[in-house]
Structures are given as C-alpha cells and as structure tokens.
C-alpha cells in the first residue's frame, strides 16, 4: 500500500507541475508599432503585461492613449523612455498622467527641453521613481518563455550624444525575438557588437528612423532581421535614407514603414511571427 501511495503522490506532483508549465507559458505576444509620424511609440502586449516603449512627439500623447484604450489597455506594467529626444519622450507625460503606470525606465541621461521636463514632472506627480535602463537589466515578465532585457546603453556617452544613450531592448518569446534600437547610431552599435550582444532577430525596430549613421552593414550581418520596421513620418532629415534601405534590402529583410503602412502589428505564438497593418 505504501508503494502505491508513493507512486500516486509522484503522479500528482508530475501533473501539478505540468499544469504550471502550461499556465506560465505565454500563448502570444503582440508588438504594435504605432504610427505617430516622425517618432517612436511601441506597445508590447503579453498575456500578463502591457509595456510602452516611447510615446511619440509633443502632442501625440492623446493619440497614444486612444490607441492603448482601443486595445483594452488599462494598466501599463512599464513605460520605457529610450532617450530624451522630443520625438520619443514628448507624448509620455500625457500617457503617464492619464494611465495607470506601474514602473518607468529611462537611461541615466537628462536633457533641458520642455518635453523632457514634462516627462520628469509627470513621473513625480505619480510619486514614482525612474529605474535606470542599463545593459543586463530585465523588465519583469510572468511567463517563463518571455524575457525583456536591456542590451544598452552599455556605457556612458557624451552628454551631447543623446542618440547613443538610447535604451536598447531585446524581447524573446520562445524561439522568436524582437530588437528595439531606439535612436542608436554607429558608436553604440559598435559597442553592442563588441560585447557580442547582437544576434539574429525576427523583427528589428530600425535605429534612428533610418538615419545613414545607424543600422550599419556589420550590425545587420549579426541581426539579419526577417522583418524591419521604420517608425517615420514627414521630416527634413531625409529619413529613411537610401543607405539604410539598401542595407536592409541586402540582408533580404521585409521592411514596413509607419508613414506608408500606418500602425503595424506583429503577432508571435513563440514559433511564428505574423505581421499585419491595423487601423
């Protein structure tokens, strides 16, 4: 009888832990590249978390909040400000003031612009503190097959070099991965490559809206993205440049542009990534 009981207990424990595995594996991840014109705003949705990376430029906050609510987002587990440039941080003050936000991340670099000051004041008004985004830090996720980790910035740059201070995020969902490059340029790319932090990804958020000073050939040789997204709008910088477009073409990456496709949604089941355009 004792032997039978022991076997029964072992079977019960096996079933119990099997059940946990099924519960804690994520059935999906959705990544929304929101069309905010010349700027970035990205929503990452898992079964347990909603994470916003940047909020577009000044005045784009209401548009971002509207998009979040349309997708039934009531709480943001995390808000990430990749760097202080206005076309990334400008809409975040409105988002933070008008949404429930659990945590805010940003690299350890400040700026004197009104957009950045508004962002800091919005965080303060919610009695929150900013967690410094740096290489190796993870944003907590509940599912065992999802990791969201900062790859950069890997070091300090000049205070005038805001783009290379960008918080670089890597999202892994089972066998699929996404890489969000903020506005990183060649210097930061070289540092990431030197530390062997860049590997093949399924979806790349192209750095700095397609500037010729970003997304180098050497970087793409390692990343080799199946899909690339250019978050871009009308601008006087020539973004995206033909240099970057040609480099993406060379690695046979399928490119989506928010100025042409509007909002772009990628859905992952952990084994396959499917893109589509949404209103």
């Amino acid at each position: 009888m004792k032997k039978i009981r022991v076997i029964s207990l072992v079977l019960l424990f096996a079933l119990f832990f099997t059940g946990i595995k099924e519960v804690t594996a994520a059935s999906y991840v959705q990544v929304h590249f929101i069309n905010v014109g010349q700027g970035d705003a990205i929503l990452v949705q898992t079964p347990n978390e909603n994470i916003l990376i940047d909020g577009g430029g000044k005045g784009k906050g209401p548009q971002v909040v509207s998009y979040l609510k349309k997708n039934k987002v009531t709480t943001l587990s995390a808000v990430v400000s990749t760097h202080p440039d206005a076309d990334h941080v400008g809409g975040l003050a409105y988002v933070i003031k008008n949404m429930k936000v659990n945590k805010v991340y940003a690299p350890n670099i400040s700026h004197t612009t009104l957009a950045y000051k508004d962002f800091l004041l919005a965080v303060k008004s919610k009695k929150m503190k900013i967690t410094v985004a740096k290489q190796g830090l993870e944003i907590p996720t509940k599912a065992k097959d999802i990791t969201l980790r900062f790859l950069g910035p890997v070091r300090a740059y000049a205070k005038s070099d805001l783009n290379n201070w960008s918080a670089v995020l890597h999202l892994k969902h089972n066998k699929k991965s996404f890489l969000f490059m903020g506005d990183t340029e060649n210097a930061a790319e070289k540092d990431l490559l030197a530390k062997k932090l860049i590997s093949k990804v399924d979806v790349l958020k192209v750095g700095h809206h397609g500037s010729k000073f970003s997304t180098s050939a050497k970087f793409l040789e390692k990343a080799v993205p199946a899909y690339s997204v250019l978050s871009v709008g009308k601008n006087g910088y020539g973004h995206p440049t033909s240099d970057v477009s040609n480099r993406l073409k060379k690695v046979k990456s399928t490119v989506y542009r928010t100025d042409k496709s509007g909002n772009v949604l990628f859905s992952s089941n952990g084994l396959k990534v499917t893109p589509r355009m949404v209103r």
Side-chain angles (χ1 to χ4, degrees):
M1 285 295 291
K2 283 185 178 181
K3 188 175 182 181
I4 292 171
R5 285 178 184 175
V6 169
I7 293 169
S8 297
L9 284 169
V10 169
L11 287 171
L12 281 170
F13 272 105
L15 287 169
F16 177 73
F17 283 109
T18 301
I20 286 179
K21 284 183 180 180
E22 289 174 357
V23 170
T24 58
S27 56
Y28 73 90
V29 167
Q30 293 188 321
V31 179
H32 307 246
F33 294 89
I34 307 169
N35 179 23
V36 289
Q38 181 72 3
D40 277 16
I42 303 159
L43 170 65
V44 176
Q45 290 186 294
T46 78
N48 304 297
E49 297 94 14
N50 293 298
I51 296 148
L52 182 68
I53 305 169
D54 289 329
K58 192 77 173 173
K60 295 294 183 179
Q63 177 189 338
V64 173
V65 168
S66 176
Y67 188 92
L68 296 176
K69 290 182 176 178
K70 185 179 177 181
N71 285 278
K72 299 180 181 179
V73 176
T74 56
T75 300
L76 289 167
S77 313
V79 165
V80 178
S81 169
T82 60
H83 65 299
D85 277 358
D87 58 334
H88 292 250
V89 77
L92 286 183
Y94 185 92
V95 172
I96 292 167
K97 287 178 181 177
N98 289 277
M99 297 287 294
K100 183 180 177 183
V101 177
N102 292 340
K103 205 159 187 179
V104 178
Y105 296 83
N108 191 25
I109 185 68
S110 61
H111 203 28
T112 57
T113 61
L114 182 60
Y116 191 69
K117 286 180 179 178
D118 286 345
F119 162 66
L120 295 178
L121 288 171
V123 174
K124 187 178 180 181
S125 73
K126 289 291 187 78
K127 297 180 180 179
M128 300 174 69
K129 291 185 178 180
I130 295 173
T131 299
V132 175
K134 57 185 177 180
Q135 194 266 313
L137 180 69
E138 286 193 20
I139 295 177
T141 53
K142 290 183 180 178
K144 65 169 189 174
D145 58 349
I146 294 176
T147 56
L148 189 55
R149 181 181 293 113
F150 288 102
L151 302 186
V154 298
R155 66 175 178 89
Y157 297 90
K159 289 186 177 181
S160 58
D161 192 8
L162 295 180
N163 290 334
N164 282 318
W165 276 97
S166 290
V168 176
L169 273 167
H170 182 269
L171 166 65
K172 185 169 174 52
H173 177 214
N174 197 351
K175 295 185 181 298
K176 295 299 164 182
S177 58
F178 297 74
L179 183 59
F180 309 98
M181 292 298 291
D183 270 3
T184 51
E185 294 185 336
N186 292 337
E189 287 181 6
K190 286 179 182 177
D191 291 333
L192 289 163
L193 290 168
K195 288 188 172 287
K196 298 182 180 180
L197 293 170
I198 303 300
S199 56
K200 188 174 181 179
V201 296
D202 295 282
V203 182
L204 170 70
K205 201 297 292 187
V206 177
H208 201 190
H209 321 287
S211 160
K212 68 179 180 180
F213 302 111
S214 301
T215 323
S216 67
K218 286 186 177 180
F219 170 83
L220 287 173
E221 282 174 13
K222 288 292 183 182
V224 201
Y227 300 98
S228 297
V229 180
L230 285 154
S231 188
V232 66
K234 188 177 180 180
N235 66 89
Y237 306 107
H239 297 163
T241 61
S242 58
D243 304 62
V244 169
S245 296
N246 289 334
R247 290 198 285 265
L248 291 169
K249 187 177 181 180
K250 191 172 181 180
V251 296
K252 298 179 180 179
S253 183
T254 300
V255 178
Y256 288 87
R257 292 173 50 158
T258 55
D259 61 339
K260 293 185 176 181
S261 300
N263 306 312
V264 183
L265 169 64
F266 286 85
S267 300
S268 166
N269 64 7
L271 300 174
K272 182 181 179 182
V273 170
T274 306
R276 67 185 175 94
M277 292 164 278
V278 297
R279 295 195 174 204

